[in-house]
Amino acid sequence: MILKIVKTGFALASIALFALLVWLAVSLYSPRAFTPGEVFVEVEKGMGASAVARLLEERGIISSRHSFIMSYRLFFHPRKIRAGEYALTSPLKAKEVLDILVKGKVYLHAVTVPEGLTAQEIAPLIVPFLDGGQDGFMAAFRDVGIIGPIDREANNLEGYLFPETYSFPKSISSTDAVAAMVGQFREAFSGAWTARAESIRMSIRQVVTLASIIEKESSVAEENKLVSAVFHNRLRIGMKLDC
């Protein structure tokens, strides 16, 4: 009698486990369509799996927060759900959502920094995406340690924030954003450019200063060569650049 009860209990437990696995599989691998077709979701720092699951359920991206949490703990833990802004495109399986979140595939904003801008003019373009805001950007701008090896006289990074289109996640740190721009400068100003500066007996700092002056003096790209020639001639005969 006892053996029969044990067998029955085991059979019921097996059926329940099988049903649970089927439920999880359906929840995890069934694509779910949601409206609108692309939904932006921001996972804030410190949000746990339960809070994220509730947010996704409220936005209609997953069908059940309970199956989402269970699937995360069974198949993805101890990998953490990463904070950031995500663009989720319909339809998505819950597993695909989890993959995106634990791998930190955050949405990247295209931020274009045109040529000839000062740091004050660049700030409004990138500050909306920075974790530290305007103050953080200016603090990073004044941190010359990153450019020290090539310009020990610099007191800020003016001229070293390279014009380019960058892909920044929302809430990127000011230090990382500025480092990316300076990194682009260092990558561009290497090899042939460094050799060219040495051949005309100019330091990188002098080249950057001269380039900034040329940008201010000429608003038309075609005039840059002429303006550059004028300033080089002034330097050659010992005249000040602002004369």
Side-chain angles (χ1 to χ4, degrees):
M1 182 68 178
I2 295 176
L3 182 60
K4 185 176 181 181
I5 293 173
V6 171
K7 287 182 178 180
T8 302
F10 182 77
L12 291 174
S14 298
I15 292 171
L17 178 60
F18 178 75
L20 175 62
L21 292 175
V22 170
W23 175 64
L24 283 177
V26 171
S27 300
L28 202 57
Y29 290 97
S30 296
R32 180 175 175 80
F34 45 86
T35 305
E38 184 177 55
V39 175
F40 284 85
V41 174
E42 186 159 2
V43 176
E44 298 178 1
K45 292 180 181 178
M47 286 183 73
S50 297
V52 173
R54 185 176 295 106
L55 173 63
L56 295 174
E57 186 181 57
E58 289 172 354
R59 301 295 298 275
I61 295 166
I62 60 173
S63 58
S64 168
R65 69 177 184 272
H66 302 294
S67 63
F68 185 88
I69 294 168
M70 192 175 296
S71 298
Y72 166 71
R73 289 174 178 167
L74 284 174
F75 305 116
F76 290 87
H77 191 75
R79 287 184 290 171
K80 293 184 178 180
I81 293 175
R82 300 189 183 183
E85 180 187 34
Y86 295 88
L88 303 176
T89 305
S90 177
L92 277 176
K93 302 171 185 176
K95 182 183 183 302
E96 292 172 330
V97 176
L98 278 166
D99 279 333
I100 291 169
L101 297 180
V102 298
K103 291 178 180 177
K105 296 180 180 179
V106 296
Y107 181 77
L108 298 177
H109 297 265
V111 181
T112 299
V113 177
E115 294 183 8
L117 299 189
T118 64
Q120 289 289 348
E121 294 168 323
I122 292 172
L125 301 177
I126 68 169
V127 162
F129 306 101
L130 301 184
D131 188 26
Q134 177 79 16
D135 292 341
F137 173 74
M138 294 311 298
F141 170 68
R142 290 189 292 268
D143 184 0
V144 296
I146 193 172
I147 208 69
I150 62 174
D151 185 357
R152 299 188 183 282
E153 298 178 32
N155 53 24
N156 57 48
L157 299 176
E158 196 71 80
Y160 294 108
L161 304 181
F162 196 77
E164 181 63 274
T165 296
Y166 297 91
S167 296
F168 288 154
K170 187 177 180 181
S171 297
I172 183 175
S173 74
S174 300
T175 301
D176 287 345
V178 168
M181 289 187 279
V182 174
Q184 280 295 110
F185 172 87
R186 298 188 69 163
E187 184 177 330
F189 202 99
S190 61
W193 281 102
T194 302
R196 173 59 179 159
E198 291 174 353
S199 71
I200 58 176
R201 298 181 180 180
M202 293 181 70
S203 67
I204 293 178
R205 178 178 180 78
Q206 289 172 322
V207 172
V208 169
T209 301
L210 182 57
S212 297
I213 293 172
I214 291 171
E215 287 283 357
K216 290 177 182 178
E217 291 290 329
S218 173
S219 59
V220 182
E222 288 75 12
E223 296 176 356
N224 285 353
K225 288 185 178 180
L226 177 60
V227 175
S228 176
V230 170
F231 282 121
H232 274 290
N233 287 335
R234 289 183 177 184
L235 287 170
R236 192 175 297 112
I237 63 177
M239 290 179 65
K240 293 183 178 180
L241 291 177
D242 57 356
C243 291

